């Protein structure tokens, strides 16, 4: 097997931690001795041992003289856990292959330098692009202090998210809906606007086969605090919190009732009567949440795009034509005046989800 093959396995392991390690990155590690995998591990939760430690413990004495494949540069500082570089050197690892340097300024090349100074052979850059995409949320968070924002939409072929009657279940097929729940499972936050709550009364939970999956924190944009007290997202018992982001225009009595029901209400600055996106992202980042999945309606999507906070778009496109002048599209607001002014996606990727097409693209900044 090649370095790429072993790194691919390390990336597979790292993905198991997505949505569970914030504000830390998702990292996987594989120890290989004489062509045999003798240890594997991944970072499971912030504050617990890192991927390298799990892999070294699994390898035991067979780590001596072996190669360690890791998706991110090993840490070299004391945080909530000791530095991984010390453990790697002590285990007798001969060679370290890292997919990418750690963008955290506390590490950023220092871990690799420490390993080289100890006499280990070090290589960097194997499947680097894949590793960067895996940790795109962490990279943005650690370098900018803001969470990564993905906008997800499910639309018909003509771009509608509902019919003229408001019916939206189901535009896309079961395979797309499963993928959407997998996305919730790997994000820290799922976010909608009050319009979606009033129209659909969603649960915003993660429902995967066999009862698997973890609920992301649920955030509702509601500048005037119109959320019904009987809304399912308010009544639902879940390990994940529900937060309502509102403004000073919220009635104090409604705020007190919601707080009494265990709902956290964030009173944030407003821009043109709506919750300020920059203020919201700052508040969510302060909680160590690095990734946000927007599942909003047309107006939330439009406001997020207009504020320039969207990093990636994932669109599930169904082979259906809904039509209708009054049927809502995926993005409201005023829109672009000219085609050249439209928001442009790049690095496009197309996949099939049953009969649907899943389009992934990054906003051109």
């Amino acid at each position: 097997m090649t370095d790429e093959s072993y790194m691919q396995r390390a990336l597979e392991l790292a993905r198991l931690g997505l949505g569970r390690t914030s504000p830390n990155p998702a990292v996987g590690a594989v120890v290989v001795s004489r062509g045999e995998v003798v240890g594997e591990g991944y970072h499971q939760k912030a504050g617990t041992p890192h991927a390298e430690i799990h892999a070294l413990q699994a390898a035991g004495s067979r780590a001596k003289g072996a190669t360690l494949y890791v998706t991110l540069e090993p840490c070299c500082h004391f945080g909530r856990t000791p530095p991984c570089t010390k453990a790697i050197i002590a285990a007798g690892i001969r060679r370290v292959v890292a997919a990418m340097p750690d963008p955290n300024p506390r590490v950023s090349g220092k871990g690799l330098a420490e390993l080289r100074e100890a006499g280990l052979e070090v290589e960097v850059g194997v499947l680097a692009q894949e590793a960067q995409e895996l940790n795109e949320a962490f990279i943005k968070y650690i370098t900018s202090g803001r969470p990564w924002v993905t906008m997800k939409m499910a639309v018909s072929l003509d771009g509608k998210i509902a019919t003229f009657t408001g019916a939206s279940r189901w535009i896309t097929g079961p395979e797309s809906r499963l993928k959407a729940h997998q996305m919730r499972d790997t994000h820290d936050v799922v976010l909608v606007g009050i319009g979606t709550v009033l129209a659909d009364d969603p649960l915003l939970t993660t429902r995967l086969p066999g009862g698997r999956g973890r609920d992301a924190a649920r955030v509702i944009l509601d500048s005037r605090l119109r959320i019904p007290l009987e809304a399912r997202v308010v009544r639902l018992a879940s390990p994940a919190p529900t937060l309502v982001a509102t403004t000073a225009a919220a009635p104090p009595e409604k705020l007190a009732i919601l707080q009494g029901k265990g709902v956290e209400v964030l009173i944030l600055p407003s821009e043109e009567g709506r919750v300020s996106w920059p203020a919201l992202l700052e508040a969510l980042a302060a909680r160590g949440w690095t990734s946000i999945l927007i599942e909003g309606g047309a107006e939330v999507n439009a406001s997020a795009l207009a504020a320039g906070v969207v990093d990636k778009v994932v669109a599930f496109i169904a082979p259906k034509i809904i039509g209708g002048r009054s049927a809502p599209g995926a993005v409201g607001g005023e829109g672009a005046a000219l085609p050249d002014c439209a928001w442009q996606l790049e690095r496009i990727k197309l996949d099939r989800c049953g009969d649907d097409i899943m389009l992934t693209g990054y906003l051109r900044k």
Side-chain angles (χ1 to χ4, degrees), residues 153-162 168-177 314-323 351-359:
M153 56 183 71
V155 299
S156 63
L157 189 59
D158 54 338
K160 304 295 186 180
I161 60 172
S168 59
R169 296 178 181 172
W170 298 104
I171 291 176
T172 53
E175 295 87 354
S176 293
R177 297 198 295 274
V314 178
F316 296 93
I317 306 168
K320 299 176 182 177
I321 299 174
I322 290 177
D351 295 291
R352 288 291 297 271
C353 280
D355 291 333
D356 303 331
I357 295 172
M358 176 181 169
L359 184 151

Side-chain angles (χ1 to χ4, degrees), residues 14-38:
R15 291 188 184 96
L16 298 175
L18 282 173
R20 291 149 175 82
T21 64
S22 295
N24 289 355
V27 181
V30 175
V31 178
V32 177
S33 177
R34 298 181 181 180
E36 179 188 358
V37 174
V38 296

Side-chain angles (χ1 to χ4, degrees), residues 13 28-31 38-42 50-60 63 68-69:
L13 291 165
V30 175
V31 178
V38 296
E40 293 185 339
Y42 70 96
H50 292 181
E52 300 94 319
I53 304 305
H54 285 296
L56 291 172
Q57 288 175 344
L68 171 68
Y69 295 87

Side-chain angles (χ1 to χ4, degrees), residues 284-354:
L284 298 182
R287 297 165 183 267
W289 292 337
T290 66
S291 58
I292 299 172
L293 180 64
I294 297 179
E295 293 192 10
E299 295 309 312
V300 165
N301 289 345
S303 68
L305 287 166
V309 300
V310 179
D311 297 295
K312 182 165 72 172
V313 173
V314 178
F316 296 93
I317 306 168
K320 299 176 182 177
I321 299 174
I322 290 177
R325 295 185 186 89
S326 60
V331 180
E334 293 185 0
L338 298 169
D340 286 347
C341 299
W343 292 284
Q344 181 69 44
L345 299 183
E346 57 189 12
R347 294 161 55 194
I348 305 298
K349 180 183 177 184
L350 297 176
D351 295 291
R352 288 291 297 271
C353 280

Side-chain angles (χ1 to χ4, degrees), residues 23 136-148 285-286 288-290:
E136 57 195 6
F138 169 75
I139 293 170
K140 181 184 178 185
Y141 175 83
I142 204 69
T143 57
S144 73
R146 281 192 172 188
W148 179 269
W289 292 337
T290 66

